[in-house]
Amino acid sequence: HKFGHGCTPFSDEKTVPVVFLKSRLKDQVMRSMSKYVLLLRQGDDDKYERTIMSAGFPFPVSVLNMSVLSTIPCNTEQLRAELNAPQSYAGLIFTSPRAVQCVAEVACSKAINGWERWGLEGCPIYCVGPETCRRLSALGKHPAIDASGVGGAECLAQQIIQRHSTSAVEKPFLFLCGNKRLDHLPTLLTASHISLQELVVYTTHDREDAELPTPLSPSFPPSAVVFFSPSGVDYADQKLRTIWDWNDIDKIAFGTSTAAALERHCLGVSAIATEPSPLGVAQALKSCLVPESLV
């Protein structure tokens, strides 16, 4: 008998290095599964990166930002004139944080509470998305702000129609938007005989100086790309489509309008953010990138 009293047979001794090797193999697999996520968005804040990085992915995730669009305020004097005549409108409508930013720039140095500065504290204000609402709230206390239209412009239009369908709306709503705004909201409101006056307060342009963030390259694509607007989809279709095989990349849409743009350009949609927020984007990414065996 080769083994002394209390010794473990040789066949059992081999289980220790086998387990060790399996552990090392798993670590190597996990490292090879490192994912790069590309966000096509503007903004210097890192809230999306922080939320995605802390979302509990079972492998390393690197979040990269690429600002592919630039916005330029316009019609500033007309905007100031319209805000000084709130009695002319049944309410204000915002569908993007950038439109709110244009109002904030006009309001700068005018008063502590921008809404009171123009007599807008009693004017109904409708908006889409939590970020748009947050920026509106930053302009001053306004109890009429409605942020429940998180389902997109179509959802917001239906809310306005429901709230005003029982009484005739004699005044138009003032819709502050960009030059690339979509038709959904104006079409739905007009069909329900609710008049709308549009004022373009910013223009959106492709950035000619946009560059792929390191280490991405034509030979090293990201695992997933998050699109935050239809304009971002247009940019990708024109400038990024030919450098990567998009069949190997997960496409995350920030909302339904962006998803429709992806489908329109035949890029496909892997997932839509559960809500227009960093958490919604992180959840959509996990649904695409994490295999069921690791859930």
Side-chain angles (χ1 to χ4, degrees), residues 173-195:
F173 283 86
L174 179 60
F175 180 26
L176 302 177
C177 58
N179 63 318
K180 294 188 176 183
R181 69 106 179 107
L182 301 178
D183 294 329
H184 306 316
L185 187 141
T187 299
L188 290 170
L189 293 183
T190 301
S192 296
H193 308 291
I194 294 178
S195 58

Side-chain angles (χ1 to χ4, degrees), residues 61-98:
V61 175
S62 297
V63 182
L64 306 171
N65 287 281
M66 183 177 179
S67 181
V68 298
L69 304 172
S70 63
T71 57
I72 303 174
C74 63
N75 297 321
T76 303
E77 290 304 318
Q78 186 178 353
L79 172 60
R80 182 176 289 108
E82 301 297 352
L83 292 175
N84 277 316
Q87 69 280 359
S88 302
Y89 301 102
L92 274 64
I93 299 175
F94 296 85
T95 56
S96 76
R98 295 183 189 91

Side-chain angles (χ1 to χ4, degrees), residues 38-269:
L38 178 62
L39 309 181
L40 299 184
R41 66 182 294 266
Q42 293 176 273
D44 298 327
D45 61 88
D46 63 350
K47 57 187 176 183
Y48 282 89
E49 180 178 359
R50 285 187 283 107
T51 302
I52 294 170
M53 296 286 284
S54 61
F57 284 90
F59 41 72
V61 175
S62 297
V63 182
L64 306 171
N65 287 281
M66 183 177 179
S67 181
V68 298
L69 304 172
S70 63
T71 57
I72 303 174
C74 63
N75 297 321
T76 303
E77 290 304 318
Q78 186 178 353
L79 172 60
R80 182 176 289 108
E82 301 297 352
L83 292 175
N84 277 316
Q87 69 280 359
S88 302
Y89 301 102
L92 274 64
I93 299 175
F94 296 85
T95 56
S96 76
R98 295 183 189 91
V100 181
Q101 182 61 33
C102 291
V103 171
E105 291 173 0
V106 170
C108 183
S109 302
K110 292 296 181 181
I112 295 177
N113 191 323
W115 302 127
E116 293 179 358
R117 161 68 177 80
W118 290 298
L120 290 168
E121 63 271 14
C123 181
I125 294 180
Y126 295 90
C127 67
V128 171
E131 180 62 18
T132 306
C133 179
R134 185 189 67 78
R135 295 197 184 189
L136 282 168
S137 299
L139 289 178
K141 295 180 180 179
H142 193 292
I145 290 177
D146 185 347
S148 58
V150 295
E154 299 93 331
C155 176
L156 182 61
Q158 292 299 334
Q159 290 186 11
I160 295 174
I161 292 169
Q162 292 173 6
R163 295 189 179 193
H164 297 276
S165 60
T166 57
S167 59
V169 182
E170 298 179 356
K171 300 177 183 179
F173 283 86
L174 179 60
F175 180 26
L176 302 177
C177 58
N179 63 318
K180 294 188 176 183
R181 69 106 179 107
L182 301 178
D183 294 329
H184 306 316
L185 187 141
T187 299
L188 290 170
L189 293 183
T190 301
S192 296
H193 308 291
I194 294 178
S195 58
L196 201 67
Q197 179 174 322
E198 295 183 27
L199 177 59
V200 174
V201 294
Y202 68 90
T203 57
T204 302
H205 308 272
D206 292 347
R207 289 190 57 172
E208 298 300 329
D209 61 344
E211 296 182 353
L212 289 175
T214 306
L216 300 184
S217 68
S219 60
F220 190 87
S223 303
V225 177
V226 182
F227 296 87
F228 287 82
S229 69
S231 297
V233 177
D234 293 340
Y235 178 94
D237 183 62
Q238 297 171 14
K239 304 293 179 63
L240 302 177
R241 180 153 198 161
T242 59
I243 69 172
W244 293 322
D245 182 355
W246 285 85
N247 292 321
D248 297 331
I249 300 173
D250 284 313
K251 282 80 63 176
I252 311 299
F254 193 62
T256 54
S257 297
T258 303
L262 284 166
E263 294 289 7
R264 187 167 60 252
H265 286 294
C266 300
L267 286 168
V269 181

